[in-house]
Amino acid sequence: MNNSNNKISKNVLIVSAPSGGGKSTIVGHLLKSFNIFDFSVSATSRAPRGSEVNGKEYFFLTQDEFKRRALNGDFVEYEEVYPGLFYGTLKSEVERIWGNNKVILFDIDVMGGMNLKKLYGEKSLSLFIAPPSLETLRERLIKRGTDTPEAIEKRVAKAEKEMQYSGNFDKILVNDDLQTALEEVEKIIKENF
Ligand code: 5GP
C-alpha cells in the first residue's frame, strides 16, 4: 500500500498479546478490512473449542503427531504455550501464503512473536496488543467464560510476565476502547504496508 519510498516492503504482520488482550477481534477485523493479508493457520496439540474447525482456526494434531512433525523440521517455530499444549507455525503455511503474494498475518504468543521478528526482521511488523490493566484482563477472561477460575489466574500471571516484553515489539496498541483500538490499528497498517 505504501511502497512509493525506499522502505523495504513488508510481507509479514505479527500480532501478539497476553491471552484475553482482545487479539482475535483485532485479527478478525484486519482480515475483513484488508485483502492484502492471509491468516497463518497454526498447528496445535490442544483440543478444538466450541465451533472450531480443523484447518480453519488451527490444524488440530495429537501431541505425538505434533512432536513427530517438529522432529521432521516442519515448523518455522513452535512453543509449549501452556504446560503440555504445543502451538507452532508450519513452513507449509508460510509457503502457501507467500506463494499467493499475500502478507502473512500471524496470531501468535509473545515468545513466538519475538522469534518471528528475529527471523523476518525488517520484512515484518510486530504488534503487541496490551490490555489496559491486569484487572481488566481478568474481567475479560471471566466474561468470556471459557476458562475455570484457576486457569484464569494462571493466564493473568502469565500475562503479567508477558507485558514485560512489550518493548521488544515495533508497535504497542493498548486495547481499552475497542473502536479506538480498531481505528489505531488500521492507521498502523496503512502507514506500514
Ligand atoms: P488459544 O488456545 O487461546 O487459541 O491460543 C493460545 C495462545 O497460543 C495464543 O496466544 C495464540 O496466539 C498462541 N498461538 C497460536 N498459534 C501459535 C503458533 O503457531 N505459535 C506460537 N508460538 N503461539 C501460537
Side-chain angles (χ1 to χ4, degrees):
M1 263 184 271
N2 189 26
N3 294 330
S4 51
N5 51 25
N6 291 327
K7 269 194 299 185
I8 292 181
S9 68
K10 299 190 193 311
N11 56 10
V12 170
L13 174 64
I14 301 159
V15 183
S16 297
S19 167
K23 181 176 46 169
S24 33
T25 312
I26 289 174
V27 166
H29 178 80
L30 290 177
L31 288 168
K32 254 195 305 179
S33 311
F34 298 96
N35 62 13
I36 56 168
F37 294 119
D38 199 350
F39 181 69
S40 167
V41 179
S42 297
T44 181
S45 68
R46 81 150 164 77
R49 274 200 299 249
S51 60
E52 288 179 335
V53 175
N54 188 41
K56 188 168 171 247
E57 286 84 4
Y58 286 105
F59 296 107
F60 295 100
L61 307 180
T62 62
Q63 206 180 101
D64 282 352
E65 179 65 1
F66 196 107
K67 286 185 175 159
R68 191 191 65 75
R69 296 200 63 174
L71 281 174
N72 202 37
D74 290 355
F75 292 109
V76 177
E77 65 74 43
Y78 67 92
E79 293 281 331
E80 187 174 1
V81 176
Y82 299 108
L85 296 182
F86 294 85
Y87 294 77
T89 301
L90 289 163
K91 287 182 180 166
S92 55
E93 276 297 277
V94 171
E95 284 157 14
R96 177 183 70 78
I97 296 170
W98 279 344
N100 290 331
N101 287 318
K102 296 268 185 171
V103 176
I104 309 177
L105 201 171
F106 290 108
D107 172 336
I108 189 164
D109 85 316
V110 172
M111 287 298 159
M114 292 193 298
N115 286 335
L116 288 182
K117 180 67 196 179
K118 269 192 215 131
L119 197 62
Y120 297 123
E122 285 190 65
K123 302 284 275 179
S124 63
L125 182 83
S126 62
L127 181 63
F128 186 97
I129 300 173
S133 69
L134 291 173
E135 196 39 50
T136 314
L137 175 65
R138 184 180 283 111
E139 282 162 19
R140 284 181 185 166
L141 289 171
I142 293 168
K143 245 201 204 152
R144 188 171 82 176
T146 53
D147 295 284
T148 62
E150 199 195 15
I152 289 175
E153 286 318 307
K154 275 196 191 148
R155 280 182 186 251
V156 172
K158 189 168 190 282
E160 193 172 5
K161 279 198 203 124
E162 288 172 329
M163 292 293 286
Q164 295 166 7
Y165 296 109
S166 61
N168 295 335
F169 285 72
D170 295 321
K171 301 271 176 194
I172 303 174
L173 184 74
V174 178
N175 183 11
D176 188 357
D177 171 62
L178 179 62
Q179 201 49 47
T180 311
L182 293 180
E183 281 163 23
E184 271 175 42
V185 80
E186 281 184 16
K187 192 165 164 264
I188 291 172
I189 299 306
K190 285 176 187 155
E191 282 170 359
N192 285 278
F193 287 92

